């Protein structure tokens, strides 16, 4: 009995030392160094003071959460201890706070905060740090984005299973020089987190029966239906949001066809940049038909580049192939909001071709080697096809691609010049996107006819230009197709795919007999693509590989 009481006393002392709980409002030492506190105060209406801090959080019902901690000295002093020889400017350019998120004692996510996050005074003068994490609406503050990355991309949402948990946050300094240097613990604190049960419509969970008249032969292959039902439950719970359709083909037969969130087989899906791949397809057909010489043709063969702004010898060297592989060297990058050549800036003009051809060239990028995601360049390809083929792009694509595939229900989006937009402007049914994927799986062959040459298919799906996306294994770009590797049970599966904003994908696997289509509408959301990756790795691929 005495030993049990001793354990209780020691536990209480440890919890107290770690700062878990609510300090007294009039305690001037409440924010002692090393203690991190949580507040659910609506900071847009009231200033967060030393009271009241919060001991618990309902993950679904509480609208606000901020963390508060006080340093013993400004962050810059901590960074100086990591690298005494660096100037203040160099330290601020190479270092910032490191935040570690632990759930029930397990480290789930670590973020070395971007060095540009936060004003200079926060790092060089401020001791008390107040950082909003959760708000009902998106705010333009780095703490909000950090929480989103932790939850949606860093594993938080999956670690917070139904029930009670403890969230711990640890704060350190870090410095990225030749190596990563991490300073000592500056502050830490805990909060109890309750995750309520999510009530769902249980009728959404069972595998959906494939309806008749699909146009496909139905596969009789078995697969792990429990895995697909587990995925359906996650979609119903909102773990994977804005998923509209899932179609899986095996050996050219329909294995899985499911729809969610009001979508059905007849829905035309806005798959955004998935449409870029269609520009590659139609370009390949036009080259085979002799309307375009080949992909090595120069851009200057189609436009008088001297009549546009920022003409240069380098711009004269741009080829169709470099536009197909996103390596044209134009000063345009959709992944950099500051770039002069983003899709948004292009779409704000009334002549998208002129906008693109007026852009300067990047001084350092090597044409044909250095990748930049450049949607405007894909629009140029559509304009080139339109002016090169009989009766324009739409008529030609219908005659040469859609009609042979038996695709009759589709919709193009047009540029201000009334040219079909090949930067991401084609809408089809999910089941017809699967036909398009199977065409590539078949190496361009469809119902006894070679729609696309095998050579063009192989070039399109090949690793033309390498990419660096956070160390993702095998990431490359082909002719407006992506290429990467999924790893399941320590085995690699190479896949080429079309990719569009919102989580839209057409997967064509290399060594296994599958085509997978996912349509989604999580446009602009941080986790749109990582959600699809998780769906593939944790549910879809294990399910369909289970009976291989």
């Amino acid at each position: 009995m005495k030993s049990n009481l001793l354990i209780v006393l020691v536990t209480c002392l440890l919890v107290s030392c770690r700062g878990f709980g609510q300090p007294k409002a009039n305690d001037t030492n409440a924010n002692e160094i090393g203690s991190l506190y949580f507040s659910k105060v609506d900071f847009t209406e009231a200033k967060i003071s030393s009271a009241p801090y919060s001991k618990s959080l309902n993950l679904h019902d509480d609208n606000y959460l901020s963390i508060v901690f006080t340093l013993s000295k400004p962050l810059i002093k901590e960074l100086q201890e990591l690298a005494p020889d660096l100037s203040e400017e160099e330290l601020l350019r190479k270092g910032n706070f490191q935040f570690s998120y632990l759930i029930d004692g397990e480290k789930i996510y670590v973020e070395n905060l971007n060095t540009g996050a936060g004003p200079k005074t926060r790092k060089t003068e401020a001791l008390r740090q107040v950082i909003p994490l959760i708000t009902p609406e998106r705010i333009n503050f780095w703490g909000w984005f950090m929480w989103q990355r932790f939850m949606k991309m860093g594993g938080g949402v999956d670690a917070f299973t139904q029930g009670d948990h403890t969230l711990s946050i640890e704060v350190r300094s870090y410095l990225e020089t030749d190596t990563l240097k991490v300073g000592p613990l500056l502050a830490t604190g805990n909060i109890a987190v309750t995750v309520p049960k999510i009530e769902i419509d249980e009728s959404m969970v069972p595998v959906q029966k494939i309806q008749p008249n699909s146009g496909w032969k139905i596969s009789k292959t078995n697969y792990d239906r429990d895995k697909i039902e587990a995925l359906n439950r996650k979609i119903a719970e909102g773990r994977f949001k804005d998923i509209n359709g899932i179609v899986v083909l095996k050996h050219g037969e329909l294995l899985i066809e499911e729809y969610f969130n009001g979508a059905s087989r007849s829905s035309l899906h806005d798959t955004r940049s998935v449409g870029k791949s269609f520009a590659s397809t139609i370009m390949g057909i036009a080259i085979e038909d002799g309307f375009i010489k080949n992909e090595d043709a120069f851009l200057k063969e189609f436009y008088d580049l001297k009549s546009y702004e920022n003409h240069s010898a380098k711009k004269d060297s741009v080829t169709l192939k470099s536009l197909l592989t996103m390596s044209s060297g134009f000063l345009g990058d959709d992944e950099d909001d500051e770039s002069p050549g983003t899709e948004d800036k292009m779409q704000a003009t009334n002549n998208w071709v002129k906008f693109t051809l007026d852009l300067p060239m990047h001084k350092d990028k090597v044409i044909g080697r250095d990748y930049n995601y450049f949607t405007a360049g894909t629009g140029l390809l559509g304009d080139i096809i339109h002016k090169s083929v009989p009766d324009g792009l739409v008529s030609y694509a219908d005659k040469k691609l859609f009609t042979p595939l038996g695709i009759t229900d589709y919709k193009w989006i047009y540029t201000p010049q009334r040219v079909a937009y090949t930067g991401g402007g084609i809408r089809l049914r999910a089941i017809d996107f699967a036909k398009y994927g199977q065409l590539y799986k078949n190496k361009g062959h469809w119902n006894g006819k070679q729609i696309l040459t095998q050579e063009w298919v192989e070039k399109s799906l090949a690793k033309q230009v390498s990419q660096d996306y956070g160390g993702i294994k095998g990431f490359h770009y082909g002719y407006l197709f992506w290429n990467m590797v999924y790893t399941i049970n320590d085995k690699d599966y190479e896949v080429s795919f079309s990719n569009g904003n919102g989580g839209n994908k057409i997967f064509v696997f290399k060594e296994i007999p599958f085509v997978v289509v996912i349509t989604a509408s999580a446009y602009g959301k941080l986790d749109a693509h990582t959600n699809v990756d998780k769906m593939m790795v944790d549910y879809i691929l294990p399910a369909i590989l289970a009976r291989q």
Side-chain angles (χ1 to χ4, degrees), residues 5 27 30 62 86 121 123-124 147 211 254 272 308 389 401 433 447 454 477-478 490 501 520 538:
L5 288 173
D27 185 354
D62 289 328
L86 295 183
T121 53
K123 306 164 194 175
T124 58
W147 180 265
Q211 299 303 308
L254 188 56
R272 305 293 172 94
Y308 294 91
V389 300
L401 178 64
F433 280 119
N447 285 345
Q454 180 173 336
Y477 205 70
D490 297 323
N501 187 358
D538 289 355

Side-chain angles (χ1 to χ4, degrees), residues 151-447:
M151 287 294 289
K152 297 181 176 182
M153 302 167 67
V157 70
D158 292 307
F160 278 131
T161 55
Q162 177 186 330
D164 296 325
H165 301 275
T166 299
L167 168 66
S168 305
I169 296 180
E170 298 176 348
V171 184
R172 295 174 175 84
S173 61
Y174 85 90
L175 197 66
E176 186 81 61
T177 54
D178 294 335
T179 59
L180 175 65
K181 298 179 181 179
V182 179
L185 186 65
L186 302 177
T188 183
N190 311 311
I191 189 169
V193 178
T194 297
V195 183
K197 180 181 179 181
I198 301 174
E199 300 297 334
I200 66 166
D201 179 356
E202 291 291 334
S203 67
M204 295 178 62
V205 174
V207 173
Q208 297 172 27
K209 182 180 179 181
I210 296 176
Q211 299 303 308
N213 303 316
S214 67
W216 292 91
K217 182 178 180 181
I218 307 301
S219 175
K220 296 181 180 178
T221 305
N222 291 323
Y223 59 92
D224 189 341
R225 299 174 72 90
D226 290 341
K227 277 284 184 186
I228 299 302
E229 290 191 350
L231 172 59
N232 291 352
R233 180 174 294 278
K234 292 294 184 182
I235 293 172
E237 291 175 346
R239 165 62 184 89
F240 301 118
K241 293 183 179 179
D242 303 313
I243 302 299
N244 301 322
I246 300 173
V247 176
V248 179
L249 306 179
K250 181 176 183 181
H251 292 300
E253 298 177 348
L254 188 56
L255 182 67
I256 298 171
E257 182 188 15
E258 299 196 305
Y259 300 100
F260 309 91
N261 296 312
S264 66
R265 180 183 286 172
S266 62
S267 299
L268 296 181
H269 299 274
D270 179 7
T271 56
R272 305 293 172 94
S273 288
V274 163
K276 287 182 170 68
S277 299
F278 286 76
S280 172
T281 306
I282 302 165
M283 177 68 74
I285 296 172
I287 289 173
E288 177 64 16
D289 285 347
F291 295 116
I292 295 173
K293 181 173 59 177
N294 55 49
E295 69 267 37
D296 293 318
F298 291 103
L299 187 60
K300 65 182 180 181
E301 298 175 36
F302 303 93
Y303 302 100
D304 179 10
L305 297 182
K306 293 180 181 179
S307 66
Y308 294 91
E309 296 177 15
N310 298 300
H311 175 255
S312 66
K314 188 171 185 178
K315 190 177 291 188
D316 283 340
S317 300
V318 173
T319 63
L320 301 186
K321 181 176 179 179
S322 69
L323 290 167
L324 287 164
T325 57
M326 296 281 187
S327 59
S328 63
F330 273 97
L331 197 59
D333 186 353
D334 291 318
E335 295 171 345
D336 177 6
D337 290 339
E338 302 302 317
S339 170
T342 65
E343 183 180 25
D344 288 343
K345 292 183 176 75
M346 177 190 74
Q347 292 183 348
T349 71
N350 58 14
N351 190 322
W352 298 356
V353 171
K354 183 179 187 306
F355 169 89
T356 306
L357 294 177
D358 279 344
L359 289 170
M361 301 297 291
H362 198 289
K363 293 180 180 179
D364 301 321
K365 297 285 184 180
V366 176
I367 295 173
R369 186 193 72 184
D370 295 330
Y371 171 89
N372 261 359
Y373 192 68
F374 183 46
T375 295
T378 315
L380 279 184
L381 292 173
D383 190 67
I384 290 168
I385 295 168
H386 182 72
K387 64 171 60 177
S388 300
V389 300
D391 302 319
L393 189 157
V394 171
S395 175
Y396 187 74
D398 185 77
K399 179 180 178 181
K400 292 288 187 172
L401 178 64
F402 295 129
T403 295
L405 289 178
I407 297 173
T408 58
D409 195 4
Y410 63 90
K411 181 180 179 180
W412 280 105
I413 306 300
Y414 291 85
T415 73
Q417 283 63 54
R418 297 303 298 165
V419 175
Y421 181 43
T422 49
I426 186 69
R427 300 180 182 183
L428 279 74
R429 302 184 305 163
I431 206 165
D432 289 333
F433 280 119
K435 286 184 178 180
Y436 177 73
Q438 189 64 41
L439 174 67
Y440 277 81
K441 186 67 175 170
N442 294 347
K443 300 187 183 301
H445 192 265
W446 189 267
N447 285 345

Side-chain angles (χ1 to χ4, degrees), residues 86-98:
L86 295 183
S87 67
E88 180 176 294
E89 181 181 346
E90 290 174 311
L91 292 169
L92 294 176
R93 194 169 62 246
K94 298 175 182 291
N96 207 330
F97 287 112
Q98 180 189 84

